[in-house]
């Protein structure tokens, strides 16, 4: 069973974005072992899920909400 990645120390979307940028940089290096790359991939997946939670729970900008409603998106109301 895969180990659970602790993402509790990331409290902002910006922190997650910064860490994901670091992960991309590490994975691009040729000297990173495959096992470490897979661990980084698992961390990136966990961080991505947390980022989606941030986006889903963030209050919508009134202008964006109005544009979305105008385009027929019923979930934006």
């Amino acid at each position: 069973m895969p180990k659970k990645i602790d993402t509790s120390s990331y409290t902002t979307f910006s922190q997650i974005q910064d860490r994901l940028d670091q992960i991309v940089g590490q994975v691009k290096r040729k000297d990173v072992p495959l096992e470490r790359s897979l661990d980084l991939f698992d961390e990136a997946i966990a961080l991505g899920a947390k980022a989606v939670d941030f986006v889903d729970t963030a209050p919508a900008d009134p202008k964006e909400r109005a544009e979305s409603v105008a385009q027929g998106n019923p979930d934006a109301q």
Side-chain angles (χ1 to χ4, degrees):
M1 174 158 49
K3 61 183 173 186
K4 176 85 169 139
I5 306 291
D6 181 17
T7 60
S8 63
S9 64
Y10 299 94
T11 58
T12 67
F13 189 85
S14 180
Q15 289 175 330
I16 291 173
Q17 186 176 17
D18 290 344
R19 179 60 185 144
L20 288 171
D21 288 341
Q22 291 172 355
I23 289 171
V24 168
Q26 289 179 346
V27 171
K28 284 183 175 181
R29 292 179 30 204
K30 301 282 186 208
D31 62 336
V32 176
L34 177 60
E35 186 172 332
R36 176 67 181 141
S37 292
L38 292 173
D39 289 342
L40 290 168
F41 176 77
D42 289 341
E43 182 181 355
I45 295 297
L47 289 171
K50 186 162 186 166
V52 167
D53 289 342
F54 277 140
V55 170
D56 286 347
T57 60
D61 176 53
K63 182 179 177 185
E64 289 177 358
R65 187 180 314 116
E67 289 173 359
S68 187
V69 169
Q71 293 174 358
N73 182 357
D75 295 331
Q77 295 182 4

